[in-house]
Amino acid sequence: MDNQEALQRTLTRARRALQIIEEEKASYGIRIPPDLVIELEEKQKEVTSLEARLSQLQGQRPASVPNNLPRYNDVFVGRKEEIARCMDALSPEERGWGVAIDGIGGMGKTALALEVAHLARKQALFDAYLFVSAKTTWLSTEGVRPETLALSSLDSFCREFAKGLGQADIVKMTDATERRRALLDALRGRRTLLIWDNLETLNAEERDMIAEFVRKLPTPNKAIITSRRRTGESAVTIRLDHLLEAEALELMREKGKSHPRLDQELNATKPEILTALYQASGGNPLALDWTLGQVAHKGYSISVALERLRDAAKSEDLYGFLFADAAKTLSEKDRTVLSALVVFLTPAKTAALVDATDIVITEIQVSLERLVTLSLVNDLDGERFGLHPLTRTYIRAAVGGTDTVLTAPLSGIRFNSAAQRKVLRYWVDFAQKYGGDDKDAYKTYDKLETEWQNLEGVATTLREMAGIPGALKDRQAAQMLIDLENALYNFLFFRGYWDERVRLGEWCYHAGKALGQWSDAGWGAYHVAWIYYNRADTDWAVRWATQMTEAMERGGSRLDKAVAIGLQGQIAEQRQDWAEAERLHQEELAIYRELGEEQREAIALNDLGAVAQEQGHYDRAESYYKQALAIEEKLGNKANQATYCGCLGNLALNRDRPTETRPWYERELALAQEVGRQDLVADAQAGLARVLEKEGRYAGALPLAQSALDIQERLRDQNLDFSRRLVERLQRKVGME
């Protein structure tokens, strides 16, 4: 009612002003000044406009309110913030000509424009609502279909707008320039909302002419433009991004209400599969709708439809609709930049792209600007650039970095596989620069941590390119995968990426076998076996230790074979076969001493100490541990020093020597935290908790034990059950205090 009253007051003032102008006109007789004639016409239009808007608010349907808005019967969810921004842009207080909505295809730009237009109509913000579209195709579950009514020029848009306003004389004009001027004149004094849809299909000249037209749009008329190309001078610009996951799930549920089979599938599908569908679609409404349509109309399960979405070759209608037209306009540099960006799983800075591609920064910047304009690349805070998941899937297929084989309409659009390979090499070099197992390598592990998502993506891409396990397809990719794993295995162990170390170790093993590089294969198997050993998963440790031994026998050095012997000894230890463990560790120790491998000698001494301790030979165990520690102190390896300090702490605790125990655990903890070795941090914390427990300081012991348990649960460490019992015991004791 407040809106009606305000509009009524505005109308009353406008009618009074119109009456004054009409009286002034009458006073001139037949020689009326041209300016007064124009003022009178504009005021008459304003009064008509206000009357029409007031009729809208009063629930009437006046014939004087032109409206050709399409009926939008599809599901619309979310976008509350975007709607609010659009409505602000259409308000009289906003001085720009309106709002430009851009973004990747399928994000719902047209749907948002129509939602805003219908909302504006409910609020009677305008006296006319006119929609025209340059859309040339539309996507159905059966494929891409042509749109026969698409407009292709500013002049055709002006004809449709004039027709919608009932301006037959303007429609009949033969001169396009005169038509534009006449339409602008006809809009003076009115309040009309013009919606220009899908302008990316027009050529650059037509888009520029439309931009000039809307800049001249007389107030208080407004426009909404939708395009995959960034535009919008003198307007509020909204780059439409992905739906939030909750909104996407709501969209799925709403779609299910109209399709019983889809609803049944949605209810039977695990939540994690629906989340995976959301992630694969990147929250793109069209991709979600297309995928759900495969379920509703073609009988696929959601899991099968999801796999089709992830495979550009099986979803070429979708990917062609989204990307083919834009891809055809790209320069060679643009394609190189996209081929590079597909390797970056996190947004890339310009400097990183320069380093990865060897293209000069000015050319990179020009390409990025064009790619952002085409909505193929997102420009993010901090001058970073990233790809939408659907864009990534398409480009990876176009580059040829997957098993996907593209056909029309995408097969003729090829990207730069050499550029992709160069960026993959960039990341392998990055891992080698900041990784490795040198005693001071831990100091640069933070750089690997920061880029882990990219490095993990590179490993996956290299495995796919190499074709392993299976027939080798790309020797260079297989070698890069081995190089990457060799650079990362120590970092992965230190920082607690144990599952990832298993996966990369397996890939390294298969790549080494495929290349006939048996030492590489053996080390990959060792890195896998070592995690299973540390998780006390003895059967799997045996399986991989056997594969390591076989590989080293076929192509390993004497040192490689000694490491395999040591691993067999540790597994014998885990099986409590003390005699066999002793024999194997003595054998490896002799080889290391013969080869002058001091660090390996310390490892063998530590292994022998563990065997002695388990058999109750504490003095002998202490001697072995201290010999190992002395070697590492000389070599300066802090990670191994932490290991041996922990062993000496455990030994002192077993011997019930608490005054000796605490310093060893404190030293272990300090060293482990310095180098970032997560399993040793947990070991030291659990050890200190046991010392405090013996002292009756249960409240102080519990947080340490709980912290150790948290780490070990994440790692699935072999000491997990022990720490869990320690925490439970301390919780009971704290509760009794």
Side-chain angles (χ1 to χ4, degrees):
M1 192 63 182
D2 290 342
N3 287 341
Q4 289 188 36
E5 291 176 356
L7 194 56
Q8 183 64 65
R9 287 195 296 270
T10 303
L11 176 58
T12 300
R13 289 194 297 269
R15 285 171 173 168
R16 189 178 300 122
L18 176 61
Q19 182 180 0
I20 292 171
I21 296 171
E22 287 175 337
E23 290 172 355
E24 184 179 357
K25 174 189 173 186
S27 69
Y28 280 97
I30 60 173
R31 301 186 65 180
I32 305 169
D35 290 347
L36 185 60
V37 173
I38 294 174
E39 184 180 0
L40 177 62
E41 290 176 351
E42 290 183 354
K43 187 58 67 174
Q44 288 171 335
K45 290 178 182 177
E46 181 183 353
V47 169
T48 302
S49 171
L50 290 167
E51 288 173 342
R53 291 170 59 201
L54 185 60
S55 296
Q56 291 180 66
L57 283 178
Q58 292 171 341
Q60 302 173 22
R61 296 186 178 180
S64 57
V65 181
N67 168 34
N68 72 341
L69 295 178
R71 293 191 177 188
Y72 187 69
N73 297 322
D74 208 350
V75 177
F76 188 91
V77 299
R79 306 300 194 192
K80 292 181 180 179
E81 181 180 342
E82 291 87 350
I83 289 173
R85 288 184 62 197
C86 288
M87 296 303 290
D88 286 343
L90 299 183
S91 69
E93 292 76 19
E94 175 60 49
R95 300 184 66 180
W97 55 256
V99 58
I101 305 171
D102 61 44
I104 184 177
M107 276 299 176
K109 299 180 291 295
T110 302
L112 175 61
L114 289 174
E115 185 75 10
V116 168
H118 284 294
L119 182 59
R121 186 167 181 265
K122 287 180 181 178
Q123 298 179 15
L125 297 183
F126 300 91
D127 59 72
Y129 306 85
L130 302 177
F131 175 92
V132 291
S133 181
K135 183 188 287 289
T136 57
T137 59
W138 56 280
L139 181 67
S140 73
T141 54
E142 300 303 322
V144 179
R145 297 290 182 263
E147 177 55 68
T148 57
L149 301 178
L151 303 180
S152 59
S153 67
L154 170 59
D155 190 52
S156 59
F157 275 81
C158 289
R159 285 176 184 272
E160 290 299 312
F161 285 137
K163 188 185 301 181
L165 291 172
Q167 301 287 328
D169 291 343
I170 296 178
V171 176
K172 294 176 182 177
M173 287 180 175
T174 57
D175 186 276
T177 302
E178 288 301 316
R179 192 188 335 275
R180 291 199 297 274
R181 290 173 183 166
L183 179 59
L184 288 170
D185 288 339
L187 289 168
R188 299 186 194 282
R190 302 193 62 136
R191 187 165 176 79
T192 302
L193 178 61
L194 305 176
I195 302 166
W196 313 64
D197 184 50
N198 275 84
L199 296 193
E200 74 274 0
T201 62
L202 306 183
N203 62 42
E205 182 181 0
E206 292 294 339
R207 291 195 303 271
D208 289 343
M209 291 170 64
I210 289 173
E212 181 182 358
F213 182 91
V214 294
R215 282 197 298 270
K216 294 178 178 179
L217 197 63
T219 58
N221 297 279
K222 296 283 185 176
I224 300 176
I225 283 178
T226 77
S227 176
R228 298 185 190 185
R229 290 176 175 267
R230 178 156 289 187
T231 181
E233 266 186 70
S234 304
V236 172
T237 299
I238 294 176
R239 168 142 289 195
L240 205 56
D241 205 347
H242 62 276
L243 291 173
L244 299 176
E245 184 172 356
E247 295 170 340
L249 293 173
E250 181 185 353
L251 177 63
M252 295 180 202
R253 289 191 295 270
E254 290 297 321
K255 291 283 185 182
K257 291 179 181 178
S258 303
H259 301 284
R261 189 185 182 286
L262 173 59
D263 186 55
Q264 182 181 0
E265 279 290 324
L266 288 169
N267 290 329
T269 301
K270 295 179 179 179
E272 54 266 31
I273 300 298
L274 298 181
T275 296
L277 172 56
Y278 167 74
Q279 293 171 341
S281 71
N284 183 296
L286 179 65
L288 285 169
D289 184 58
W290 183 86
T291 305
L292 296 175
Q294 306 298 302
V295 178
H297 303 298
K298 293 191 174 182
Y300 296 132
S301 68
I302 289 179
S303 294
V304 170
L306 170 59
E307 289 308 309
R308 292 179 67 84
L309 176 64
R310 288 170 169 166
D311 187 339
K314 294 180 179 178
S315 310
E316 287 207 68
D317 286 336
L318 172 65
Y319 286 94
F321 180 79
L322 294 178
F323 300 114
D325 288 341
K328 291 173 183 175
T329 69
L330 300 179
S331 69
E332 183 179 348
K333 288 285 194 307
D334 298 338
R335 297 187 187 200
T336 297
V337 172
L338 281 173
S339 299
L341 276 172
V342 79
V343 183
F344 286 79
L345 294 191
T346 60
K349 290 191 173 183
T350 307
L353 289 171
V354 171
D355 290 342
T357 62
D358 294 331
I359 300 175
V360 297
I361 189 168
T362 53
E363 293 180 341
I364 290 280
Q365 289 169 334
V366 168
S367 282
L368 286 171
E369 183 177 350
R370 184 159 47 242
L371 294 169
V372 167
T373 298
L374 290 169
S375 299
L376 291 174
V377 169
N378 294 324
D379 53 339
L380 306 169
D381 294 338
E383 296 183 357
R384 299 172 304 134
F385 300 89
L387 296 179
H388 187 276
L390 292 174
T391 314
R392 186 180 305 281
T393 299
Y394 159 62
I395 295 171
R396 288 188 70 217
V399 167
T402 69
D403 291 332
T404 298
V405 178
L406 295 175
T407 57
L410 297 176
S411 58
I413 307 169
R414 304 302 296 177
F415 283 76
N416 193 334
S417 59
Q420 182 199 38
R421 197 173 294 269
K422 181 179 289 186
V423 181
L424 291 169
R425 185 71 249 178
Y426 163 83
W427 282 114
V428 174
D429 292 343
F430 181 93
Q432 290 177 321
K433 181 178 180 180
Y434 297 115
D437 62 353
D438 180 78
K439 64 183 178 64
D440 293 324
Y442 69 89
K443 295 178 180 179
T444 56
Y445 284 173
D446 282 348
K447 293 185 178 294
L448 300 179
E449 187 89 50
T450 299
E451 299 293 353
W452 169 240
Q453 189 176 349
N454 282 319
L455 293 167
E456 186 175 33
V458 166
T460 300
T461 300
L462 289 172
R463 182 192 66 83
E464 292 174 351
M465 291 172 64
I468 53 97
L472 181 64
K473 296 192 300 184
D474 189 321
R475 296 185 64 86
Q476 185 183 37
Q479 184 59 59
M480 281 198 286
L481 181 59
I482 292 171
D483 294 342
L484 183 66
E485 196 272 347
N486 288 340
L488 292 175
Y489 75 86
N490 220 44
F491 156 75
L492 297 174
F493 187 63
F494 274 45
R495 293 300 178 92
Y497 291 95
W498 286 13
D499 289 340
E500 291 82 355
R501 173 160 161 168
V502 168
R503 184 163 63 250
L504 264 66
E506 289 181 1
W507 295 351
C508 180
Y509 169 76
H510 290 299
K513 278 184 62 178
L515 293 172
Q517 297 172 188
W518 294 104
S519 179
D520 290 325
W523 280 106
Y526 173 74
H527 297 150
V528 177
W530 181 244
I531 296 299
Y532 285 125
Y533 166 76
N534 277 275
R535 286 175 166 169
D537 194 340
T538 309
D539 289 342
W540 276 98
V542 169
R543 184 175 304 183
W544 281 97
T546 300
Q547 293 187 96
M548 177 198 180
T549 300
E550 292 172 351
M552 295 310 190
E553 288 296 326
R554 295 188 66 172
S557 67
R558 193 149 185 245
L559 174 63
D560 295 340
K561 294 172 183 177
V563 174
I565 291 169
L567 178 59
Q568 295 288 357
Q570 288 167 320
I571 292 172
E573 214 180 296
Q574 204 163 69
R575 288 175 158 176
Q576 300 183 354
D577 187 348
W578 309 121
E580 179 65 5
E582 172 86 18
R583 183 188 70 79
L584 291 166
H585 289 319
Q586 289 289 359
E587 184 178 350
E588 68 165 328
L589 177 62
I591 297 173
Y592 293 146
R593 283 176 169 168
E594 179 185 338
L595 295 174
E597 290 283 342
E598 285 189 288
Q599 190 169 95
R600 291 286 174 185
E601 177 185 346
I603 292 171
L605 287 167
N606 185 68
D607 291 337
L608 287 166
V611 173
Q613 181 177 338
E614 289 293 342
Q615 296 179 90
H617 305 316
Y618 295 148
D619 289 342
R620 187 178 170 196
E622 182 177 9
S623 175
Y624 281 133
Y625 290 148
K626 288 187 173 179
Q627 288 179 66
L629 180 59
I631 292 173
E632 294 297 1
E633 287 173 338
K634 182 182 73 170
L635 297 176
N637 191 311
K638 293 182 178 181
N640 287 353
Q641 289 176 44
T643 299
Y644 307 147
C645 287
C647 291
L648 285 162
N650 290 335
L651 178 63
L653 195 64
N654 285 356
R655 300 171 87 170
D656 198 21
R657 296 178 179 177
T659 57
E660 295 180 17
T661 303
R662 182 191 294 275
W664 288 122
Y665 283 136
E666 288 176 343
R667 186 177 172 190
E668 177 190 21
L669 181 59
L671 288 167
Q673 289 174 331
E674 181 180 349
V675 302
R677 178 86 178 262
Q678 295 298 295
D679 62 318
L680 295 182
V681 169
D683 182 75
Q685 289 174 331
L688 287 169
R690 292 170 66 196
V691 172
L692 291 172
E693 180 186 27
K694 283 183 174 294
E695 296 173 351
R697 299 163 62 185
Y698 309 129
L702 182 56
L704 286 167
Q706 184 62 62
S707 179
L709 178 60
D710 291 343
I711 294 172
Q712 289 169 348
E713 283 180 333
R714 180 166 58 85
L715 301 179
R716 303 201 300 280
D717 188 276
Q718 59 186 325
N719 296 313
L720 174 59
D721 289 340
F722 179 88
S723 293
R724 186 176 288 124
R725 291 193 298 272
L726 175 62
V727 167
E728 292 170 352
R729 189 167 67 245
L730 289 170
Q731 287 174 334
R732 289 194 299 270
K733 290 179 177 179
V734 169
M736 294 170 61
E737 289 181 341

